[in-house]
Amino acid sequence: MIYQPEMIYRPTAAALVYRVNAHNVPVFLAVQKPNWDKNEWGLVQGKFDEDADGTLENAIERELREELGTTRVGPVIATGLTTQRSFSPKTLSRYRDDTYDGKETTYFVVEFGQRQSGIALGSELSAYRWFGGKRFLQHVKYAHEIKPVVTAIQQEYGSNAVGPSRVRREYLSAHGNASFKTQPATTQ
């Protein structure tokens, strides 16, 4: 029998940020870091520090402030979606971290409550772009993990136009899907 040490995952909080355009269609925010390839896009996210942040929701609010220069957003809604992945050799070469073997990401949904001009990128990011749902899923890293959440947001606006400035917690909780819990997420 070969001994395999237990993997140590860095707790991370990620936000699927969206806004509703003039046609009442949700568009999703993708961001880039300076050391990423030009076609590499991701989500607003960051390491969870239990001592400094207290909760994953606080970590997302901090990341929105640091990376986008704003906290003027709708409620931070827990999706109930948490994934684990090992760091790739490419990631390890970019962010040398001997402490962790990978990361455990907990996803949240946040409606962006301002016009696009309300974004002031922090030093950790080099670019941002709003994509429609299909193009967003084609461009963002690990899209397969968040596709159910993107689809739920699209369905909310496609089948029941509710206006551009509301996130309906009732929608996310009423579908009975375990992937869309509205209670705060916790780390293990």
Side-chain angles (χ1 to χ4, degrees):
M1 182 176 205
I2 298 174
Y3 170 74
Q4 292 190 7
E6 185 176 331
M7 300 285 284
I8 301 172
Y9 294 100
R10 179 183 73 204
T12 304
L16 176 59
V17 178
Y18 79 98
R19 67 180 172 85
V20 181
N21 68 17
H23 304 288
N24 204 33
V25 174
V27 290
F28 301 89
L29 181 69
V31 297
Q32 279 186 331
K33 295 197 175 200
N35 55 347
W36 286 2
D37 298 333
K38 74 174 191 169
N39 292 321
E40 222 175 334
W41 295 92
L43 303 179
V44 171
Q45 62 182 301
K47 180 180 177 181
F48 169 64
D49 180 338
E50 189 169 8
D51 294 331
D53 296 321
T55 67
L56 287 162
E57 289 84 351
N58 291 343
I60 280 299
E61 290 171 358
R62 177 181 47 78
E63 290 298 329
L64 291 166
R65 217 175 20 258
E66 291 175 1
E67 295 187 5
L68 303 181
T70 187
T71 56
R72 292 184 56 197
V73 295
V76 174
I77 299 175
T79 63
L81 177 62
T82 298
T83 62
Q84 291 181 337
R85 88 175 68 85
S86 298
F87 288 138
S88 69
K90 187 176 185 178
T91 300
L92 287 173
S93 71
R94 290 178 179 170
Y95 314 106
R96 195 67 186 142
D97 188 343
D98 296 326
T99 309
Y100 299 101
D101 301 306
K103 67 180 176 178
E104 179 176 272
T105 305
T106 300
Y107 291 94
F108 297 86
V109 172
V110 179
E111 184 178 14
F112 191 73
Q114 306 179 58
R115 295 194 181 275
Q116 192 166 320
S117 61
I119 294 176
L121 291 179
S123 61
E124 295 180 19
L125 299 178
S126 58
Y128 72 92
R129 185 169 178 187
W130 294 97
F131 288 103
K134 183 176 180 182
R135 292 195 64 219
F136 176 77
L137 291 171
Q138 291 170 345
H139 287 87
V140 76
K141 295 163 88 173
Y142 312 111
H144 63 283
E145 294 177 356
I146 57 172
K147 184 176 180 178
V149 181
V150 170
T151 301
I153 293 168
Q154 290 175 308
Q155 288 173 348
E156 176 181 359
Y157 287 92
S159 62
N160 185 16
V162 296
S165 63
R166 296 190 324 179
V167 173
R168 294 177 64 195
R169 287 179 186 259
E170 307 87 55
Y171 178 83
L172 294 174
S173 63
H175 283 75
N177 184 334
S179 297
F180 300 104
K181 300 175 190 169
T182 56
Q183 59 269 27
T186 58
T187 57
Q188 301 162 356

